[in-house]
Amino acid sequence: MANVLLLRSSTTDRGPDKYEDAFRIAGYHGVSVPVLETVLVHMPELQQIVAQGPKVHALGGVVVTSARACEAWRAAVIELAKTAQRAGEC
């Protein structure tokens, strides 16, 4: 059985990986190697915009276009909540 290198993260945490299974059925051994890392950038700027509110920046809404954008939004809001909580403890 020949090995096939798959440059991606395996999804075995949600059951059998469909790509590795497909290669196995075809007589190959699929080996998944994650080669990408998502890093959130410009978080201080996002937190500042959220903290200042929509009126300061004349915003009528927020459009979240991806899972990564959702993660960034969530991280910014959580950090702002923690900061507000710490400020209230003083």
Side-chain angles (χ1 to χ4, degrees):
M1 187 178 295
N3 290 329
V4 175
L5 185 60
L6 305 169
L7 302 179
R8 56 182 288 283
S9 294
S10 177
T11 58
T12 56
D13 59 326
R14 295 174 282 192
D17 185 277
K18 66 180 181 179
Y19 293 100
E20 292 173 10
D21 275 355
F23 279 104
R24 183 183 46 75
I25 291 167
Y28 298 95
H29 178 248
V31 179
S32 294
V33 177
V35 294
L36 298 176
E37 179 181 353
T38 301
V39 178
L40 300 178
V41 296
H42 306 294
M43 291 304 294
E45 291 90 340
L46 176 58
Q47 290 170 0
Q48 181 180 12
I49 291 169
V50 173
Q52 290 172 338
K55 290 183 181 180
V56 171
H57 296 280
L59 299 174
V62 175
V63 177
V64 179
T65 60
S66 69
R68 300 300 176 252
C70 185
E71 288 175 22
W73 180 265
R74 182 177 187 273
V77 171
I78 287 172
E79 185 58 34
L80 288 170
K82 287 178 183 176
T83 301
Q85 184 179 18
R86 285 190 297 266
E89 293 174 356
C90 296

